[in-house]
Amino acid sequence: MPTPRDRARLQTMQEIVEIGRRHLAEQGAAALSLRAVARDLGVVSSAVYRYVKSRDELLTLLVVAGYDELGDAVDAAVGGVPEDRHRERFLALGRAVRTWALAEPATYALLYGGPVPGYAAPGDRTTAPGTRVPRTMLEIAAAARAAGRLEPPPPARVTKALATGLDGVRDQFDVDLPDAALVRGALVWSALFGAVSFEVFGQYGPDRLGDPEDLFEHHLAALADDLGLVPARDLAEAGAAVDNTGADRRNS
């Protein structure tokens, strides 16, 4: 059971992360300063170093918190869709990524924008939280394949080096997918975050093409097709097929 001292330390760490995220949004990652955090925390700068040793340590805390928050949002969205509705689970994943990114653009930029000068994220602390979303996406694809609901991709010729990398993905995520499906998954993963980044970073222009949400739905439906997820249908035993000519959002 945590001691009062442990609880006090945890609370202080949470406050440091909250202040750091506020400074991140207001000033950007490159301008983060532990002295400024200490000032807002109401302590001398030397006191903060008992909790966070450096600016890089603070950045790592923000990176891990951001990845975990995004992963939690995706898990909640996907968890709200029945396990046998594979395409809808993927669509829920994509929408959750976009919704979170638009609500937290500064943290999204830290995770998926340009690198922070002089900072290298430690893999032993950031890889696991940073791969939660692609892991969930590949688990959806693997479940669809096991249920016979994943359209088989054309055979893919991959180099020896890429094959080794794909074996690493298979082992890390423990998913039963052939090379061609993993290649397809990697392309969908990068395309999903590319679409979200275009919107978050204003690459569609000031009017955002009029209706960025509708544009994203078209993009997301195309990515579901690219991943090989069979369009959703009503329960076969009910004998009612869903009209597949409408928007995918109606099928979720």
Side-chain angles (χ1 to χ4, degrees), residues 144-177:
R145 181 171 182 261
R149 299 289 294 172
L150 188 75
E151 295 178 353
R157 289 187 176 183
V158 299
T159 64
K160 184 177 181 180
L162 179 55
T164 299
L166 296 177
D167 283 340
V169 171
R170 234 182 322 263
D171 292 341
Q172 180 184 358
F173 294 163
D174 190 24
V175 290
D176 183 18
L177 290 169

Side-chain angles (χ1 to χ4, degrees), residues 28 30 38 75 82 103 112 126 130 137 163 172-173 183 197 207 209 219 227 238:
D75 286 349
Y112 298 103
T126 60
M137 184 193 72
Q172 180 184 358
F173 294 163
V183 168
S197 293
D207 67 346
L209 293 181
H219 200 147
L227 193 56

Side-chain angles (χ1 to χ4, degrees), residues 64-153:
V64 172
Y67 278 137
D68 278 339
E69 192 174 286
L70 172 58
D72 289 346
V74 166
D75 286 349
V78 173
V81 181
E83 292 185 0
D84 62 346
R85 307 283 285 187
H86 310 104
R87 185 180 179 95
E88 288 83 351
R89 285 167 71 84
F90 171 77
L91 298 177
L93 179 150
R95 292 171 188 142
V97 170
R98 175 180 180 268
T99 298
W100 183 86
L102 292 175
E104 299 289 345
T107 301
Y108 181 85
L110 175 63
L111 303 182
Y112 298 103
V116 180
Y119 172 71
D124 61 328
R125 295 179 61 184
T126 60
T127 298
T131 54
R132 285 179 61 181
V133 175
R135 174 191 291 273
T136 299
M137 184 193 72
L138 290 180
E139 287 174 347
I140 291 171
R145 181 171 182 261
R149 299 289 294 172
L150 188 75
E151 295 178 353

Side-chain angles (χ1 to χ4, degrees), residues 18 30 140 144 191 216:
E18 290 172 3
I140 291 171
F216 183 75

Side-chain angles (χ1 to χ4, degrees), residues 8-23:
R9 180 177 179 83
L10 178 60
Q11 181 178 349
T12 300
M13 290 294 294
Q14 291 173 340
E15 291 175 354
I16 289 173
V17 170
E18 290 172 3
I19 294 170
R21 288 185 71 166
R22 186 170 72 245
H23 289 192

